[in-house]
Amino acid sequence: MRRTQSNLGPLRPNTAILELEQPDGANTPRYCLYARKSTESDEMQILSIDSQIKEAMESALKEGLNIVEVKKESHSAKDSGCRPVFNQMIAEIKQGRFNGILCWAPDRLSRNAGDLGAIVDLMDSGLIVDIRTHGQRFTNSPNEKFLLMILCSQAKLENDHKGENVKRGLRAKCEQGWRPGVAPLGYLHDKYADKGQKRVLMDKDRAPIIKQMFEKVAHNSESGRAVYKWLNDIKFTTRSGKKLTLSGVYRILNETFYYGEFEYPVGGSKYYKGNHDSIITKELFIKARENLTAPPRRHPGTIDFAFTKLLYCGACGSGISAEEKFKHQKNGNIHRYVYYHCTRGKDRNCQEGAIREEDLLSQLVNLVDKIDINEIAVKEQIKKEVERFRKFSYGVLGKDINLPKRSLEIDMRNYIKYILADGTKE
């Protein structure tokens, strides 16, 4: 056996060009050796492809087969049209590059009806004249094609049954009170038990902290962010030694597993009674949820500021809040000032300072001359307001201020400036 470059171009990824030493013949089938493993992980089934190629090469040497190219792929054949190397092989068969396939077993070629149909169609059209597996051969014969379809369909049936068996096993585990998957923070798996019989044990180091999290929210009405800060202050870490994230805090506070029930699958709305020890009571969980999801209380006299829901901090992207302050002078005058500042919702260390409402309005008025009127969402509404004012001026005041169309954009800019400077919410 020797490696050749011939006229086949450069080597492709996951392929190798081979040619067995044998006399050339016009009717000699040209084979593609196709080897596949079901997982894309390099650690799993690591010897599968090499062993397939080794066995197939030994059969090729023994039977004198002409292997033009070797293709290998790490991809599941469960769904049709999802294997790039297999699709490339089918395309090259249609181009006449080779007209035979050599593989370890029929299930290496297909476990779905779509890919199987593509292979059978190529056999019907004469583009594939021979398919060889370990101990079997399939040609363009009705009986042999039928046998190939049965074997590939059997592989699909086994694959479907395997999935159903796994689901049945998971349901049985749930009914026994054990949730499949990794236990939530605050619990540990019994690593010394046999597979399938591992109990969930309480983590004595973290379970008391989890309970205090619920108590702080339920009894002290603390927010999730306050609990997050407390966890950082006491240097609480996960099982892997990392700090718990803010989203992780909220996941814990919404996890029913801690009072003895769990939902499986997540989102399936089916709950099972757990066989593990509870960290909290159901009443504590419900109280914490009520405080966590309660709408913010609006205090009497709360003011709606003009720009708090329209602007964001340019430094960190957080929302904008506002507050008003009053200055009492000795002569009895009272001056009101409004300040806008970053809420620091996304960055607690944001250094952007506050800005007075007058300065903010001045910046917005200057910005009006720079923006493209056609790109802002209120263009049509402003246009209608300008037209309404024109009709009012002509109908009531007797003044025709109908300007050319090219002046409309100037009018709209002036209208925006007027609203910003002198407009009211009414």
Side-chain angles (χ1 to χ4, degrees):
M1 183 174 67
R2 58 187 174 85
R3 182 179 296 276
T4 63
Q5 293 290 342
S6 67
N7 296 323
L8 301 179
L11 295 178
R12 298 180 179 85
N14 295 324
T15 65
I17 300 173
L18 303 172
E19 184 179 329
L20 298 179
E21 294 286 3
Q22 64 173 22
D24 293 332
N27 297 324
T28 302
R30 302 175 304 281
Y31 290 90
C32 172
L33 196 165
Y34 179 76
R36 179 185 67 83
K37 65 176 183 177
S38 299
T39 176
E40 297 181 16
S41 173
D42 293 333
E43 291 78 12
M44 300 179 66
Q45 302 181 358
I46 191 169
L47 299 178
S48 176
I49 288 182
D50 292 338
S51 62
Q52 291 178 46
I53 294 176
K54 179 177 178 295
E55 294 286 345
M57 292 301 301
E58 291 178 355
S59 298
L61 288 172
K62 182 179 179 180
E63 301 180 25
L65 304 181
N66 178 24
I67 300 179
V68 177
E69 189 170 333
V70 175
K71 293 182 181 291
K72 48 187 177 180
E73 184 166 37
S74 301
H75 206 293
S76 172
K78 179 180 178 181
D79 300 318
S80 62
C82 296
R83 290 177 289 165
V85 177
F86 177 84
N87 294 337
Q88 182 189 46
M89 179 181 68
I90 295 297
E92 292 179 354
I93 290 176
K94 293 179 180 179
Q95 296 168 4
R97 181 173 172 75
F98 25 73
N99 56 3
I101 300 176
L102 179 62
C103 62
W104 170 251
D107 63 357
R108 297 299 87 195
L109 289 176
S110 173
R111 285 179 177 267
N112 63 82
D115 292 341
L116 176 59
I119 294 174
V120 174
D121 288 342
L122 292 175
M123 297 180 74
D124 289 337
S125 60
L127 295 177
I128 295 180
V129 299
D130 193 17
I131 295 178
R132 303 250 184 160
T133 64
H134 183 69
Q136 290 178 306
R137 181 181 182 183
F138 308 95
T139 63
N140 192 18
S141 162
N143 291 336
E144 293 180 359
K145 285 190 295 185
F146 181 66
L147 179 59
L148 175 64
M149 295 173 66
I150 289 178
L151 293 175
C152 290
S153 298
Q154 182 182 6
K156 174 174 172 53
L157 180 63
E158 292 174 354
N159 191 72
D160 293 344
H161 280 171
K162 186 184 298 183
E164 291 298 324
N165 291 336
V166 170
K167 292 179 181 178
R168 186 182 68 246
L170 293 177
R171 286 196 299 269
K173 186 174 182 179
C174 290
E175 290 169 357
Q176 293 173 4
W178 304 111
R179 191 182 76 169
V182 180
L185 195 63
Y187 290 94
L188 298 171
H189 284 287
D190 184 6
K191 58 183 179 181
Y192 299 106
D194 295 334
K195 185 176 180 180
Q197 298 179 352
K198 293 185 178 181
R199 300 174 61 248
V200 177
L201 307 176
M202 193 177 297
D203 187 343
K204 296 182 179 180
D205 295 328
R206 296 178 178 84
I209 305 298
I210 299 295
K211 184 177 181 179
Q212 290 183 57
M213 291 173 60
F214 282 93
E215 291 174 343
K216 285 179 175 294
V217 177
H219 302 324
N220 303 337
S221 298
E222 295 190 15
S223 66
R225 188 175 291 277
V227 173
Y228 170 72
K229 184 178 182 304
W230 170 71
L231 292 173
N232 287 336
D233 292 340
I234 64 175
K235 301 187 183 307
F236 179 79
T237 60
T238 63
R239 289 186 291 257
S240 60
K242 297 181 180 179
K243 290 184 178 180
L244 189 65
T245 62
L246 180 60
S247 60
V249 171
Y250 283 103
R251 279 197 298 270
I252 289 175
L253 295 174
N254 286 280
E255 178 58 71
T256 62
F257 192 89
Y258 294 109
Y259 74 78
E261 294 182 4
F262 61 89
E263 181 187 28
Y264 193 85
V266 177
S269 300
K270 187 171 183 178
Y271 287 83
Y272 297 88
K273 176 64 177 178
N275 203 18
H276 58 279
D277 295 331
S278 302
I279 293 179
I280 61 174
T281 63
K282 188 173 183 178
E283 290 74 20
L284 181 62
F285 175 83
I286 294 175
K287 181 62 177 176
R289 282 288 301 272
E290 289 176 350
N291 289 346
L292 202 63
T293 59
R297 291 188 292 271
R298 188 177 182 87
H299 298 287
T302 301
I303 300 173
D304 287 328
F305 295 95
F307 304 106
T308 52
K309 298 180 181 179
L310 298 177
L311 304 177
Y312 295 90
C313 177
C316 68
S318 301
I320 296 296
S321 181
E323 58 181 327
E324 62 178 358
K325 294 186 177 182
F326 297 91
K327 184 176 182 180
H328 297 268
Q329 295 183 328
K330 292 182 179 180
N331 59 6
N333 293 335
I334 301 176
H335 296 276
R336 176 181 177 269
Y337 301 95
V338 177
Y339 294 90
Y340 289 85
H341 57 83
C342 175
T343 61
R344 296 181 174 85
K346 294 185 177 180
D347 183 3
R348 306 298 294 176
N349 299 316
C350 181
Q351 300 299 318
E352 286 296 318
I355 182 174
R356 282 181 57 180
E357 189 173 57
E358 292 81 358
D359 297 332
L360 177 61
L361 287 173
S362 178
Q363 292 185 21
L364 291 175
V365 169
N366 293 333
L367 184 63
V368 170
D369 292 325
K370 300 177 182 179
I371 63 175
D372 185 351
I373 297 295
N374 294 320
E375 291 183 358
I376 61 177
V378 295
K379 173 191 173 184
E380 292 301 324
Q381 182 178 353
I382 296 174
K383 183 178 178 180
K384 291 179 181 178
E385 289 294 324
V386 174
E387 291 294 340
R388 186 173 64 85
F389 176 71
R390 285 176 174 173
K391 292 179 180 179
F392 170 79
S393 298
Y394 179 75
V396 178
L397 303 179
K399 296 180 180 181
D400 187 0
I401 58 170
N402 190 23
L403 300 176
K405 290 184 178 181
R406 63 176 178 272
S407 301
L408 178 60
E409 183 175 329
I410 299 175
D411 287 353
M412 293 172 65
R413 293 182 187 277
N414 291 333
Y415 180 77
I416 296 174
K417 293 178 181 179
Y418 164 76
I419 292 296
L420 289 173
D422 302 309
T424 65
K425 296 181 181 179
E426 289 76 17

